[in-house]
Amino acid sequence: MNTQITIAGVTFKNPVMTASGTFGSGMEYSEFVDLNQLGAVVTKGVANVPWPGNPVPRVAEVYGGMLNAIGLQNPGIDVFLERDIPFLKRFDTRIIVNVCGKTVEDYVEVVERLGEEPAVSMLEINVSCPNVKEGAIAFGQKADALYGITQEIKKHARQPIIMKLSPNVTDITEMARAAEAAGADALSMINTITGMKIDIHRRRFALANKTGGLSGPAIKPVAVRMVYQAARAVKIPIIGMGGIAGAEDAIEFLLAGACAVSVGAMNFTDPCLTEKVIKGIESYMEQYHIENVTDLIGAVEES
Amino acid sequence: MRKQKETAGVLSQSKIAPGIYDMWIETGIAADARPGQFICVYPRDKSTLLPRPISICEVREDRRALRIVYRVAGQGTAEFSGYREGEPVSVMGPLGNGFPLEAAEGKRVFLMGGGIGVPPILELAKELPVPGQIIVGYRDDRLFLKEDLEKYGRVYIATEDGSAGTRGNVMDAIAANDLQADVIFACGPMPMLRAIKAYAQEKGIPAYISLEEHMACGVGACLGCVVKTAQVHHHTNVNNARICTDGPVFEAGEVEI
């Protein structure tokens, strides 16, 4: 059985990764998960300088999911390179670093710093966080803006780049095509869906930020649909995510056209979930006599 | 002290005040649990995704079981309150740093709890190297855990409606009984913790306060449960600390509350 996949020339031992922001830099979950088993660790977003993030409450539970408005709190690229990368290097897994910024120059600065770190296999560009007011999502909701920033980052990036797309758009295929045309090596989707919760007893918003990103099983059907649409619109590989709670969900994403998957919010429910998804995919391959996991990609019957 | 997630067993459960439940759980987490640490309890209902952080109230002598005393605040805790002896319960822990017991060595100590902040004070009183002056505040005379606390120190009560002890809050109880301390340990609602912080600053004594905030992961990854800090925090590199991992206990002067 072969679970190996390749994205933009980078090989991964299996298609299971961690969704940015739900797994820290791996350290916090290393007590629960053998990081060596993972296809890749995708880190929490990192900016050129430390970001304090939003006021609390930053998280709220909703039916079948959660809202978050962390606001991309991060220690900045200096501390990240000194502390988090050396930790992750101790493991036999790929490192994908999620990059955030407020301006094109911010992104480029981080991308250039990461270019000097050969242990980082790929960069995931966060142009889809709904919880920061400047930059970020502004680049991810207009096709021409996405095209521009992708092209600019591509000029400076040493590693292949993954553009992480927002679902908060009218037509996901338009965004996918714009990123591909600008030179993106891969896409990841979906980031969270903008949502809101109101506490009716206190007549207050559940989050200090009022709105937050919805994640968890509640968004999975939306994510599967968008991955399917994007996979038919572009040739570059897609990493699928959104509410994966088990191997069955991961396989659904693969069949829809994703070549890899990320486990996100459900890490909070089950800190050992990533390993279970890997084992579950293997059992499925055994059950259906599938030799290569790549045979599952986009293999949903069309008729 | 490795964190673990496991399916543990409910040993007993009872209601000890309106909306307040007392559950003993047989779990390996108890082996290393310290006062002021907490556990995450996971609802079975799949529509509820996130664990509920609940403070450790007591650890059994053989360190194979622990006790949580919690308030039903929503769907998850309502589910827990229905668990009966012999049922499974999904838990993770021990989490957080706990109270620094060594700070009490040779000192006059206040152990202060307010409302659903009273439970962690019990294990703290039990393990403290010196007898503490236990000052606890309740809404009314339905005083849960009072008898348990009395085994480990002199207990001073405050109630909002004056139906037991001093009328008012824990600060009023300190004044009414003319109590003195060199160090404070506390858990309770934010107004109480703010009053304690101000009192400790005025007296020039340290106060170790246990904070709570909405959490998602419980292990320091999601950055959901932060508190503003006076200094740039060594881990986050910003003026924020993670309550679940860097806390829940902080010296009051370290945090902006």
Side-chain angles (χ1 to χ4, degrees):
Chain A
M1 190 191 300
N2 179 12
T3 58
Q4 194 172 298
I5 59 145
T6 304
I7 299 174
V10 180
T11 57
F12 298 84
K13 63 176 74 167
N14 64 58
V16 180
M17 308 177 175
T18 60
S20 177
T22 67
F23 210 72
S25 285
M27 200 179 295
E28 292 81 3
Y29 278 95
S30 59
E31 286 185 74
F32 300 96
V33 175
D34 176 8
L35 301 183
N36 298 303
Q37 302 301 314
L38 303 180
V41 170
V42 184
T43 69
K44 170 85 181 157
V46 61
N48 57 336
V49 292
W51 286 12
N54 289 328
V56 291
R58 291 176 167 186
V59 292
E61 188 175 71
V62 294
Y63 198 96
M66 64 175 286
L67 293 169
N68 90 79
I70 307 298
L72 289 171
Q73 179 183 324
N74 76 87
I77 187 69
D78 292 337
V79 167
F80 180 82
L81 285 172
E82 283 160 28
R83 179 186 64 199
D84 296 2
I85 292 295
F87 172 81
L88 281 172
K89 273 162 115 166
R90 290 160 36 195
F91 300 91
D92 178 25
T93 186
R94 292 285 185 189
I95 304 170
I96 298 178
V97 177
N98 184 285
V99 177
C100 54
K102 289 178 175 141
T103 63
V104 174
E105 292 72 30
D106 290 351
Y107 284 97
V108 166
E109 189 182 336
V110 179
V111 162
E112 288 185 333
R113 294 286 300 281
L114 290 166
E116 296 156 18
E117 181 48 82
V120 175
S121 294
M122 297 184 86
L123 311 179
E124 180 180 62
I125 311 301
N126 184 354
V127 286
S128 46
C129 177
N131 302 322
V132 289
K133 287 184 180 59
E134 313 149 271
I137 189 97
F139 296 110
Q141 282 180 326
K142 290 206 178 81
D144 54 349
L146 178 64
Y147 182 93
I149 193 167
T150 305
Q151 200 177 40
E152 196 57 32
I153 288 172
K154 193 61 194 159
K155 275 186 216 159
H156 296 88
R158 282 217 194 151
Q159 295 95 334
I161 63 165
I162 305 160
M163 298 307 287
K164 185 164 185 178
L165 301 188
S166 169
N168 304 306
V169 294
T170 312
D171 181 0
I172 193 71
T173 62
E174 190 194 348
M175 305 305 291
R177 283 196 193 96
E180 181 182 49
D185 299 283
L187 303 175
S188 58
M189 65 178 72
I190 58 174
N191 206 318
T192 54
I193 301 174
T194 309
M196 179 181 280
K197 180 182 181 176
I198 294 169
D199 178 335
I200 61 161
H201 301 292
R202 296 163 61 235
R203 296 197 186 185
R204 285 187 189 164
F205 297 102
L207 299 175
N209 193 51
K210 298 183 187 177
T211 59
L214 175 63
S215 59
I219 71 166
K220 197 195 75 182
V222 178
V224 172
R225 182 265 295 179
M226 287 193 163
V227 165
Y228 173 76
Q229 289 178 320
R232 289 163 62 97
V234 298
K235 292 195 172 62
I236 52 177
I238 296 172
I239 302 165
M241 67 202 70
I244 292 178
E248 294 83 356
D249 299 330
I251 293 160
E252 218 179 314
F253 275 95
L254 297 175
L255 293 174
C259 69
V261 293
S262 286
V263 177
M266 291 302 284
N267 283 310
F268 306 153
T269 310
D270 180 358
C272 312
L273 183 59
T274 42
E275 281 194 77
K276 290 177 188 167
V277 171
I278 294 164
K279 291 194 182 82
I281 291 172
E282 288 169 3
S283 308
Y284 177 87
M285 289 171 68
E286 211 168 83
Q287 183 188 347
Y288 290 97
H289 311 291
I290 292 154
E291 192 49 41
N292 296 298
V293 77
T294 51
D295 295 341
L296 292 172
I297 300 169
V300 60
E301 299 277 350
E302 282 290 348
S303 62
Chain B
M1 192 207 58
R2 195 182 158 92
K3 295 166 198 152
Q4 51 179 313
K5 188 182 180 209
E6 64 166 31
T7 303
V10 176
L11 292 172
S12 66
Q13 171 131 261
S14 57
K15 189 175 180 177
I16 57 171
I20 309 286
Y21 289 80
D22 178 353
M23 179 158 55
W24 276 95
I25 302 168
E26 189 162 36
T27 168
I29 294 169
D32 297 317
R34 295 196 313 269
Q37 288 189 302
F38 67 99
I39 61 171
C40 273
V41 188
Y42 297 77
R44 291 174 204 152
D45 180 345
K46 293 261 198 252
S47 74
T48 53
L49 207 73
L50 303 177
R52 274 51 178 167
I54 299 178
S55 64
I56 294 168
C57 172
E58 201 176 352
V59 181
R60 204 171 66 188
E61 296 297 324
D62 65 2
R63 307 201 74 82
R64 286 181 177 173
L66 56 80
R67 180 186 190 186
I68 55 173
V69 169
Y70 61 98
R71 179 166 51 208
V72 171
Q75 221 181 322
T77 42
E79 182 194 301
F80 304 154
S81 71
Y83 292 180
R84 296 289 167 260
E85 181 188 344
E87 280 191 57
V89 53
S90 179
V91 291
M92 175 173 67
L95 303 173
N97 55 3
F99 288 105
L101 298 177
E102 65 286 355
E105 209 78 59
K107 300 275 172 64
R108 294 174 300 170
V109 186
F110 285 165
L111 304 181
M112 304 173 75
I116 204 61
V118 171
I121 301 304
L122 178 56
E123 184 63 21
L124 175 62
K126 209 166 140 181
E127 294 195 29
L128 208 67
V130 294
Q133 307 167 77
I134 303 167
I135 306 148
V136 280
Y138 300 90
R139 217 164 273 169
D140 50 41
D141 61 0
R142 285 170 286 200
L143 312 173
F144 53 91
L145 297 175
K146 177 173 168 272
E147 286 77 21
D148 298 81
L149 289 165
E150 280 168 346
K151 287 187 245 171
Y152 307 106
R154 175 88 189 268
V155 176
Y156 302 87
I157 304 281
T159 54
E160 281 172 26
D161 65 358
S163 55
T166 306
R167 176 190 291 272
N169 59 34
V170 286
M171 306 315 290
D172 298 317
I174 291 174
N177 294 286
D178 195 23
L179 305 176
Q180 305 293 332
D182 309 307
V183 58
I184 299 175
F185 295 84
C187 184
M190 199 49 98
M192 169 181 144
L193 298 180
R194 287 195 189 108
I196 289 172
K197 178 176 175 173
Y199 176 90
Q201 276 175 342
E202 187 196 307
K203 299 275 181 187
I205 60 174
Y208 296 93
I209 56 175
S210 179
L211 305 181
E212 65 173 355
E213 185 50 65
H214 293 270
M215 283 180 193
C217 71
V219 297
C222 74
L223 306 180
C225 65
V226 296
V227 59
K228 281 206 161 127
T229 52
Q231 309 290 325
V232 169
H233 189 266
H234 67 89
H235 180 86
T236 62
N237 201 31
V238 291
N239 287 69
N240 269 338
R242 302 163 299 176
I243 289 176
C244 67
T245 309
D246 306 314
V249 179
F250 295 91
E251 203 289 302
E254 292 171 10
V255 288
E256 308 279 338
I257 56 170

